[in-house]
Amino acid sequence: MALSAIAQVPTAHAARYLQQTCKHWAHHLSVAFTADHGTVAVPKDARGASFPGDATVTFDATADLLTIRIDATAPDQLDGLKDAVVRHVDRFAFREGPLAYAWR
């Protein structure tokens, strides 16, 4: 069962936050990114978890919007990743944050 959530986060620094978050997560996860697109693969057993499958976090940046999509395999996995994304992006957006995440 695939579950998804998308947040469109207004910010003039979307590309910066995308790159900082991806670089940070690249120390522990499989990450690929450019200036305006990033993908993070989160293993099903990350940090001792035991989910049915791996999850993916995708970032897309425009001049004034950071779009974040999470694809997960369990409700707890999706909720945990939402929390992790918000904590990490807001850490890099400390001058501006907290940012507004309207998950749908």
Side-chain angles (χ1 to χ4, degrees), residues 26-62:
H27 296 289
H28 304 287
L29 301 169
S30 177
V31 176
F33 68 97
T34 63
D36 60 0
H37 178 79
T39 304
V40 180
V42 182
K44 64 183 180 180
D45 59 354
R47 297 195 173 259
S50 180
F51 294 112
D54 297 343
T56 304
V57 181
T58 306
F59 298 92
D60 286 293
T62 63

PDB file of all heavy atoms in Angstrom, residues 26-62:
ATOM      1  N   ALA A  26      22.731  12.996   2.936  1.00  0.00           N
ATOM      2  CA  ALA A  26      23.619  12.165   2.124  1.00  0.00           C
ATOM      3  C   ALA A  26      24.661  11.440   2.979  1.00  0.00           C
ATOM      4  O   ALA A  26      25.243  10.457   2.538  1.00  0.00           O
ATOM      5  CB  ALA A  26      24.310  13.003   1.057  1.00  0.00           C
ATOM      6  N   HIS A  27      24.868  11.887   4.214  1.00  0.00           N
ATOM      7  CA  HIS A  27      25.815  11.219   5.105  1.00  0.00           C
ATOM      8  C   HIS A  27      25.305   9.857   5.560  1.00  0.00           C
ATOM      9  O   HIS A  27      26.098   8.999   5.952  1.00  0.00           O
ATOM     10  CB  HIS A  27      26.104  12.093   6.327  1.00  0.00           C
ATOM     11  CG  HIS A  27      26.784  13.374   6.001  1.00  0.00           C
ATOM     12  ND1 HIS A  27      28.093  13.456   5.591  1.00  0.00           N
ATOM     13  CD2 HIS A  27      26.314  14.639   5.989  1.00  0.00           C
ATOM     14  CE1 HIS A  27      28.411  14.705   5.354  1.00  0.00           C
ATOM     15  NE2 HIS A  27      27.338  15.453   5.589  1.00  0.00           N
ATOM     16  N   HIS A  28      23.961   9.657   5.510  1.00  0.00           N
ATOM     17  CA  HIS A  28      23.397   8.411   6.034  1.00  0.00           C
ATOM     18  C   HIS A  28      22.444   7.705   5.072  1.00  0.00           C
ATOM     19  O   HIS A  28      22.096   6.554   5.318  1.00  0.00           O
ATOM     20  CB  HIS A  28      22.617   8.692   7.326  1.00  0.00           C
ATOM     21  CG  HIS A  28      23.433   9.367   8.376  1.00  0.00           C
ATOM     22  ND1 HIS A  28      24.410   8.725   9.087  1.00  0.00           N
ATOM     23  CD2 HIS A  28      23.444  10.641   8.821  1.00  0.00           C
ATOM     24  CE1 HIS A  28      24.978   9.563   9.923  1.00  0.00           C
ATOM     25  NE2 HIS A  28      24.413  10.736   9.791  1.00  0.00           N
ATOM     26  N   LEU A  29      21.997   8.406   4.037  1.00  0.00           N
ATOM     27  CA  LEU A  29      20.992   7.848   3.136  1.00  0.00           C
ATOM     28  C   LEU A  29      21.449   7.982   1.692  1.00  0.00           C
ATOM     29  O   LEU A  29      22.376   8.731   1.386  1.00  0.00           O
ATOM     30  CB  LEU A  29      19.656   8.588   3.321  1.00  0.00           C
ATOM     31  CG  LEU A  29      19.051   8.542   4.726  1.00  0.00           C
ATOM     32  CD1 LEU A  29      17.900   9.530   4.842  1.00  0.00           C
ATOM     33  CD2 LEU A  29      18.583   7.128   5.052  1.00  0.00           C
ATOM     34  N   SER A  30      20.764   7.290   0.791  1.00  0.00           N
ATOM     35  CA  SER A  30      21.044   7.397  -0.638  1.00  0.00           C
ATOM     36  C   SER A  30      20.323   8.647  -1.167  1.00  0.00           C
ATOM     37  O   SER A  30      19.094   8.730  -1.121  1.00  0.00           O
ATOM     38  CB  SER A  30      20.543   6.150  -1.360  1.00  0.00           C
ATOM     39  OG  SER A  30      20.754   6.274  -2.743  1.00  0.00           O
ATOM     40  N   VAL A  31      21.105   9.613  -1.641  1.00  0.00           N
ATOM     41  CA  VAL A  31      20.580  10.919  -2.045  1.00  0.00           C
ATOM     42  C   VAL A  31      21.131  11.300  -3.411  1.00  0.00           C
ATOM     43  O   VAL A  31      22.305  11.076  -3.701  1.00  0.00           O
ATOM     44  CB  VAL A  31      20.982  12.005  -1.018  1.00  0.00           C
ATOM     45  CG1 VAL A  31      20.542  13.380  -1.462  1.00  0.00           C
ATOM     46  CG2 VAL A  31      20.427  11.679   0.359  1.00  0.00           C
ATOM     47  N   ALA A  32      20.264  11.888  -4.241  1.00  0.00           N
ATOM     48  CA  ALA A  32      20.683  12.471  -5.515  1.00  0.00           C
ATOM     49  C   ALA A  32      20.010  13.833  -5.612  1.00  0.00           C
ATOM     50  O   ALA A  32      18.819  13.959  -5.312  1.00  0.00           O
ATOM     51  CB  ALA A  32      20.263  11.593  -6.687  1.00  0.00           C
ATOM     52  N   PHE A  33      20.791  14.871  -6.003  1.00  0.00           N
ATOM     53  CA  PHE A  33      20.162  16.182  -6.096  1.00  0.00           C
ATOM     54  C   PHE A  33      20.903  17.102  -7.047  1.00  0.00           C
ATOM     55  O   PHE A  33      22.086  16.921  -7.329  1.00  0.00           O
ATOM     56  CB  PHE A  33      20.037  16.834  -4.713  1.00  0.00           C
ATOM     57  CG  PHE A  33      21.343  17.238  -4.080  1.00  0.00           C
ATOM     58  CD1 PHE A  33      21.817  18.537  -4.178  1.00  0.00           C
ATOM     59  CD2 PHE A  33      22.085  16.323  -3.360  1.00  0.00           C
ATOM     60  CE1 PHE A  33      23.011  18.912  -3.595  1.00  0.00           C
ATOM     61  CE2 PHE A  33      23.283  16.678  -2.773  1.00  0.00           C
ATOM     62  CZ  PHE A  33      23.751  17.977  -2.884  1.00  0.00           C
ATOM     63  N   THR A  34      20.146  18.061  -7.551  1.00  0.00           N
ATOM     64  CA  THR A  34      20.675  19.165  -8.349  1.00  0.00           C
ATOM     65  C   THR A  34      20.249  20.441  -7.627  1.00  0.00           C
ATOM     66  O   THR A  34      19.709  20.389  -6.518  1.00  0.00           O
ATOM     67  CB  THR A  34      20.091  19.146  -9.773  1.00  0.00           C
ATOM     68  OG1 THR A  34      18.675  19.350  -9.700  1.00  0.00           O
ATOM     69  CG2 THR A  34      20.393  17.834 -10.485  1.00  0.00           C
ATOM     70  N   ALA A  35      20.424  21.579  -8.268  1.00  0.00           N
ATOM     71  CA  ALA A  35      20.050  22.848  -7.643  1.00  0.00           C
ATOM     72  C   ALA A  35      18.546  22.957  -7.400  1.00  0.00           C
ATOM     73  O   ALA A  35      18.112  23.655  -6.487  1.00  0.00           O
ATOM     74  CB  ALA A  35      20.531  24.018  -8.494  1.00  0.00           C
ATOM     75  N   ASP A  36      17.734  22.251  -8.204  1.00  0.00           N
ATOM     76  CA  ASP A  36      16.287  22.423  -8.070  1.00  0.00           C
ATOM     77  C   ASP A  36      15.482  21.127  -7.910  1.00  0.00           C
ATOM     78  O   ASP A  36      14.260  21.160  -7.904  1.00  0.00           O
ATOM     79  CB  ASP A  36      15.741  23.226  -9.246  1.00  0.00           C
ATOM     80  CG  ASP A  36      16.000  22.554 -10.590  1.00  0.00           C
ATOM     81  OD1 ASP A  36      16.602  21.475 -10.630  1.00  0.00           O
ATOM     82  OD2 ASP A  36      15.588  23.125 -11.608  1.00  0.00           O
ATOM     83  N   HIS A  37      16.171  19.998  -7.744  1.00  0.00           N
ATOM     84  CA  HIS A  37      15.458  18.723  -7.557  1.00  0.00           C
ATOM     85  C   HIS A  37      16.322  17.789  -6.710  1.00  0.00           C
ATOM     86  O   HIS A  37      17.529  17.674  -6.932  1.00  0.00           O
ATOM     87  CB  HIS A  37      15.167  18.060  -8.909  1.00  0.00           C
ATOM     88  CG  HIS A  37      14.482  16.740  -8.786  1.00  0.00           C
ATOM     89  ND1 HIS A  37      13.138  16.607  -8.537  1.00  0.00           N
ATOM     90  CD2 HIS A  37      14.982  15.478  -8.842  1.00  0.00           C
ATOM     91  CE1 HIS A  37      12.830  15.324  -8.457  1.00  0.00           C
ATOM     92  NE2 HIS A  37      13.935  14.624  -8.645  1.00  0.00           N
ATOM     93  N   GLY A  38      15.678  17.116  -5.764  1.00  0.00           N
ATOM     94  CA  GLY A  38      16.409  16.159  -4.944  1.00  0.00           C
ATOM     95  C   GLY A  38      15.546  14.957  -4.609  1.00  0.00           C
ATOM     96  O   GLY A  38      14.322  15.076  -4.481  1.00  0.00           O
ATOM     97  N   THR A  39      16.183  13.802  -4.485  1.00  0.00           N
ATOM     98  CA  THR A  39      15.497  12.571  -4.126  1.00  0.00           C
ATOM     99  C   THR A  39      16.289  11.879  -3.021  1.00  0.00           C
ATOM    100  O   THR A  39      17.510  11.719  -3.123  1.00  0.00           O
ATOM    101  CB  THR A  39      15.385  11.630  -5.334  1.00  0.00           C
ATOM    102  OG1 THR A  39      14.728  12.320  -6.390  1.00  0.00           O
ATOM    103  CG2 THR A  39      14.595  10.393  -4.994  1.00  0.00           C
ATOM    104  N   VAL A  40      15.570  11.485  -1.967  1.00  0.00           N
ATOM    105  CA  VAL A  40      16.180  10.794  -0.839  1.00  0.00           C
ATOM    106  C   VAL A  40      15.478   9.448  -0.682  1.00  0.00           C
ATOM    107  O   VAL A  40      14.254   9.397  -0.547  1.00  0.00           O
ATOM    108  CB  VAL A  40      16.026  11.606   0.468  1.00  0.00           C
ATOM    109  CG1 VAL A  40      16.658  10.874   1.633  1.00  0.00           C
ATOM    110  CG2 VAL A  40      16.611  13.010   0.308  1.00  0.00           C
ATOM    111  N   ALA A  41      16.253   8.369  -0.725  1.00  0.00           N
ATOM    112  CA  ALA A  41      15.715   7.024  -0.515  1.00  0.00           C
ATOM    113  C   ALA A  41      15.900   6.666   0.955  1.00  0.00           C
ATOM    114  O   ALA A  41      17.016   6.702   1.471  1.00  0.00           O
ATOM    115  CB  ALA A  41      16.432   6.018  -1.405  1.00  0.00           C
ATOM    116  N   VAL A  42      14.796   6.328   1.621  1.00  0.00           N
ATOM    117  CA  VAL A  42      14.834   5.998   3.041  1.00  0.00           C
ATOM    118  C   VAL A  42      14.525   4.500   3.177  1.00  0.00           C
ATOM    119  O   VAL A  42      13.403   4.065   2.899  1.00  0.00           O
ATOM    120  CB  VAL A  42      13.800   6.830   3.839  1.00  0.00           C
ATOM    121  CG1 VAL A  42      13.898   6.507   5.317  1.00  0.00           C
ATOM    122  CG2 VAL A  42      14.005   8.317   3.580  1.00  0.00           C
ATOM    123  N   PRO A  43      15.510   3.702   3.593  1.00  0.00           N
ATOM    124  CA  PRO A  43      15.294   2.257   3.701  1.00  0.00           C
ATOM    125  C   PRO A  43      14.207   1.908   4.717  1.00  0.00           C
ATOM    126  O   PRO A  43      14.009   2.618   5.707  1.00  0.00           O
ATOM    127  CB  PRO A  43      16.642   1.716   4.171  1.00  0.00           C
ATOM    128  CG  PRO A  43      17.619   2.813   3.976  1.00  0.00           C
ATOM    129  CD  PRO A  43      16.857   4.093   3.973  1.00  0.00           C
ATOM    130  N   LYS A  44      13.552   0.800   4.467  1.00  0.00           N
ATOM    131  CA  LYS A  44      12.453   0.364   5.342  1.00  0.00           C
ATOM    132  C   LYS A  44      12.918   0.079   6.754  1.00  0.00           C
ATOM    133  O   LYS A  44      12.136   0.095   7.697  1.00  0.00           O
ATOM    134  CB  LYS A  44      11.763  -0.860   4.746  1.00  0.00           C
ATOM    135  CG  LYS A  44      12.644  -2.093   4.637  1.00  0.00           C
ATOM    136  CD  LYS A  44      11.901  -3.212   3.973  1.00  0.00           C
ATOM    137  CE  LYS A  44      12.762  -4.465   3.853  1.00  0.00           C
ATOM    138  NZ  LYS A  44      11.998  -5.526   3.207  1.00  0.00           N
ATOM    139  N   ASP A  45      14.214  -0.164   6.944  1.00  0.00           N
ATOM    140  CA  ASP A  45      14.739  -0.474   8.270  1.00  0.00           C
ATOM    141  C   ASP A  45      15.599   0.652   8.846  1.00  0.00           C
ATOM    142  O   ASP A  45      16.380   0.440   9.771  1.00  0.00           O
ATOM    143  CB  ASP A  45      15.529  -1.781   8.235  1.00  0.00           C
ATOM    144  CG  ASP A  45      16.704  -1.738   7.266  1.00  0.00           C
ATOM    145  OD1 ASP A  45      16.867  -0.739   6.527  1.00  0.00           O
ATOM    146  OD2 ASP A  45      17.467  -2.723   7.244  1.00  0.00           O
ATOM    147  N   ALA A  46      15.444   1.871   8.326  1.00  0.00           N
ATOM    148  CA  ALA A  46      16.231   3.009   8.807  1.00  0.00           C
ATOM    149  C   ALA A  46      15.979   3.235  10.293  1.00  0.00           C
ATOM    150  O   ALA A  46      14.842   3.188  10.761  1.00  0.00           O
ATOM    151  CB  ALA A  46      15.884   4.262   8.007  1.00  0.00           C
ATOM    152  N   ARG A  47      17.048   3.458  11.022  1.00  0.00           N
ATOM    153  CA  ARG A  47      16.980   3.740  12.461  1.00  0.00           C
ATOM    154  C   ARG A  47      16.210   2.665  13.238  1.00  0.00           C
ATOM    155  O   ARG A  47      15.453   2.965  14.149  1.00  0.00           O
ATOM    156  CB  ARG A  47      16.412   5.112  12.717  1.00  0.00           C
ATOM    157  CG  ARG A  47      17.274   6.223  12.151  1.00  0.00           C
ATOM    158  CD  ARG A  47      16.865   7.558  12.732  1.00  0.00           C
ATOM    159  NE  ARG A  47      17.792   8.582  12.316  1.00  0.00           N
ATOM    160  CZ  ARG A  47      18.772   9.071  13.073  1.00  0.00           C
ATOM    161  NH1 ARG A  47      18.961   8.622  14.276  1.00  0.00           N
ATOM    162  NH2 ARG A  47      19.570  10.011  12.616  1.00  0.00           N
ATOM    163  N   GLY A  48      16.382   1.409  12.818  1.00  0.00           N
ATOM    164  CA  GLY A  48      15.773   0.299  13.531  1.00  0.00           C
ATOM    165  C   GLY A  48      14.308   0.052  13.228  1.00  0.00           C
ATOM    166  O   GLY A  48      13.672  -0.782  13.862  1.00  0.00           O
ATOM    167  N   ALA A  49      13.760   0.761  12.257  1.00  0.00           N
ATOM    168  CA  ALA A  49      12.350   0.589  11.889  1.00  0.00           C
ATOM    169  C   ALA A  49      12.151  -0.745  11.174  1.00  0.00           C
ATOM    170  O   ALA A  49      13.108  -1.417  10.791  1.00  0.00           O
ATOM    171  CB  ALA A  49      11.896   1.739  10.996  1.00  0.00           C
ATOM    172  N   SER A  50      10.895  -1.092  10.977  1.00  0.00           N
ATOM    173  CA  SER A  50      10.562  -2.319  10.260  1.00  0.00           C
ATOM    174  C   SER A  50       9.288  -2.077   9.454  1.00  0.00           C
ATOM    175  O   SER A  50       8.226  -2.586   9.790  1.00  0.00           O
ATOM    176  CB  SER A  50      10.366  -3.472  11.253  1.00  0.00           C
ATOM    177  OG  SER A  50      10.047  -4.647  10.550  1.00  0.00           O
ATOM    178  N   PHE A  51       9.418  -1.284   8.387  1.00  0.00           N
ATOM    179  CA  PHE A  51       8.270  -0.965   7.549  1.00  0.00           C
ATOM    180  C   PHE A  51       8.203  -1.939   6.376  1.00  0.00           C
ATOM    181  O   PHE A  51       9.188  -2.588   6.049  1.00  0.00           O
ATOM    182  CB  PHE A  51       8.368   0.483   7.049  1.00  0.00           C
ATOM    183  CG  PHE A  51       8.249   1.489   8.167  1.00  0.00           C
ATOM    184  CD1 PHE A  51       9.329   2.270   8.536  1.00  0.00           C
ATOM    185  CD2 PHE A  51       7.058   1.643   8.863  1.00  0.00           C
ATOM    186  CE1 PHE A  51       9.221   3.190   9.569  1.00  0.00           C
ATOM    187  CE2 PHE A  51       6.940   2.556   9.898  1.00  0.00           C
ATOM    188  CZ  PHE A  51       8.024   3.333  10.251  1.00  0.00           C
ATOM    189  N   PRO A  52       7.040  -2.027   5.715  1.00  0.00           N
ATOM    190  CA  PRO A  52       6.890  -2.965   4.606  1.00  0.00           C
ATOM    191  C   PRO A  52       7.828  -2.696   3.426  1.00  0.00           C
ATOM    192  O   PRO A  52       8.208  -3.617   2.714  1.00  0.00           O
ATOM    193  CB  PRO A  52       5.432  -2.795   4.164  1.00  0.00           C
ATOM    194  CG  PRO A  52       4.738  -2.165   5.311  1.00  0.00           C
ATOM    195  CD  PRO A  52       5.768  -1.368   6.047  1.00  0.00           C
ATOM    196  N   GLY A  53       8.189  -1.432   3.214  1.00  0.00           N
ATOM    197  CA  GLY A  53       9.059  -1.104   2.085  1.00  0.00           C
ATOM    198  C   GLY A  53       9.786   0.206   2.304  1.00  0.00           C
ATOM    199  O   GLY A  53       9.555   0.904   3.296  1.00  0.00           O
ATOM    200  N   ASP A  54      10.668   0.524   1.372  1.00  0.00           N
ATOM    201  CA  ASP A  54      11.416   1.770   1.441  1.00  0.00           C
ATOM    202  C   ASP A  54      10.507   2.959   1.155  1.00  0.00           C
ATOM    203  O   ASP A  54       9.450   2.813   0.523  1.00  0.00           O
ATOM    204  CB  ASP A  54      12.547   1.754   0.410  1.00  0.00           C
ATOM    205  CG  ASP A  54      13.570   0.656   0.676  1.00  0.00           C
ATOM    206  OD1 ASP A  54      13.593   0.122   1.801  1.00  0.00           O
ATOM    207  OD2 ASP A  54      14.337   0.340  -0.247  1.00  0.00           O
ATOM    208  N   ALA A  55      10.922   4.126   1.574  1.00  0.00           N
ATOM    209  CA  ALA A  55      10.188   5.365   1.324  1.00  0.00           C
ATOM    210  C   ALA A  55      11.065   6.289   0.495  1.00  0.00           C
ATOM    211  O   ALA A  55      12.287   6.115   0.422  1.00  0.00           O
ATOM    212  CB  ALA A  55       9.809   6.034   2.631  1.00  0.00           C
ATOM    213  N   THR A  56      10.437   7.266  -0.122  1.00  0.00           N
ATOM    214  CA  THR A  56      11.157   8.253  -0.927  1.00  0.00           C
ATOM    215  C   THR A  56      10.675   9.650  -0.558  1.00  0.00           C
ATOM    216  O   THR A  56       9.476   9.881  -0.424  1.00  0.00           O
ATOM    217  CB  THR A  56      10.914   8.028  -2.432  1.00  0.00           C
ATOM    218  OG1 THR A  56      11.289   6.691  -2.764  1.00  0.00           O
ATOM    219  CG2 THR A  56      11.712   8.995  -3.278  1.00  0.00           C
ATOM    220  N   VAL A  57      11.621  10.558  -0.406  1.00  0.00           N
ATOM    221  CA  VAL A  57      11.312  11.972  -0.200  1.00  0.00           C
ATOM    222  C   VAL A  57      11.851  12.714  -1.410  1.00  0.00           C
ATOM    223  O   VAL A  57      13.022  12.557  -1.765  1.00  0.00           O
ATOM    224  CB  VAL A  57      11.946  12.527   1.091  1.00  0.00           C
ATOM    225  CG1 VAL A  57      11.590  13.995   1.276  1.00  0.00           C
ATOM    226  CG2 VAL A  57      11.523  11.709   2.301  1.00  0.00           C
ATOM    227  N   THR A  58      10.992  13.497  -2.046  1.00  0.00           N
ATOM    228  CA  THR A  58      11.373  14.247  -3.241  1.00  0.00           C
ATOM    229  C   THR A  58      11.195  15.732  -2.977  1.00  0.00           C
ATOM    230  O   THR A  58      10.170  16.153  -2.444  1.00  0.00           O
ATOM    231  CB  THR A  58      10.512  13.824  -4.449  1.00  0.00           C
ATOM    232  OG1 THR A  58      10.605  12.402  -4.600  1.00  0.00           O
ATOM    233  CG2 THR A  58      10.989  14.491  -5.727  1.00  0.00           C
ATOM    234  N   PHE A  59      12.205  16.505  -3.337  1.00  0.00           N
ATOM    235  CA  PHE A  59      12.172  17.956  -3.182  1.00  0.00           C
ATOM    236  C   PHE A  59      12.243  18.603  -4.558  1.00  0.00           C
ATOM    237  O   PHE A  59      13.058  18.183  -5.398  1.00  0.00           O
ATOM    238  CB  PHE A  59      13.387  18.448  -2.391  1.00  0.00           C
ATOM    239  CG  PHE A  59      13.485  17.940  -0.990  1.00  0.00           C
ATOM    240  CD1 PHE A  59      14.195  16.783  -0.704  1.00  0.00           C
ATOM    241  CD2 PHE A  59      12.884  18.617   0.061  1.00  0.00           C
ATOM    242  CE1 PHE A  59      14.313  16.319   0.604  1.00  0.00           C
ATOM    243  CE2 PHE A  59      12.995  18.163   1.364  1.00  0.00           C
ATOM    244  CZ  PHE A  59      13.709  17.012   1.635  1.00  0.00           C
ATOM    245  N   ASP A  60      11.429  19.632  -4.794  1.00  0.00           N
ATOM    246  CA  ASP A  60      11.509  20.435  -6.011  1.00  0.00           C
ATOM    247  C   ASP A  60      11.466  21.897  -5.614  1.00  0.00           C
ATOM    248  O   ASP A  60      10.612  22.308  -4.810  1.00  0.00           O
ATOM    249  CB  ASP A  60      10.355  20.103  -6.965  1.00  0.00           C
ATOM    250  CG  ASP A  60      10.562  18.749  -7.631  1.00  0.00           C
ATOM    251  OD1 ASP A  60      11.507  18.629  -8.427  1.00  0.00           O
ATOM    252  OD2 ASP A  60       9.793  17.820  -7.330  1.00  0.00           O
ATOM    253  N   ALA A  61      12.384  22.691  -6.165  1.00  0.00           N
ATOM    254  CA  ALA A  61      12.491  24.101  -5.810  1.00  0.00           C
ATOM    255  C   ALA A  61      12.220  24.987  -7.018  1.00  0.00           C
ATOM    256  O   ALA A  61      12.692  24.711  -8.118  1.00  0.00           O
ATOM    257  CB  ALA A  61      13.888  24.392  -5.265  1.00  0.00           C
ATOM    258  N   THR A  62      11.447  26.038  -6.778  1.00  0.00           N
ATOM    259  CA  THR A  62      11.284  27.123  -7.741  1.00  0.00           C
ATOM    260  C   THR A  62      11.724  28.397  -7.034  1.00  0.00           C
ATOM    261  O   THR A  62      12.176  28.361  -5.886  1.00  0.00           O
ATOM    262  CB  THR A  62       9.823  27.240  -8.224  1.00  0.00           C
ATOM    263  OG1 THR A  62       8.989  27.557  -7.104  1.00  0.00           O
ATOM    264  CG2 THR A  62       9.346  25.949  -8.868  1.00  0.00           C
TER     265      THR A  62
END
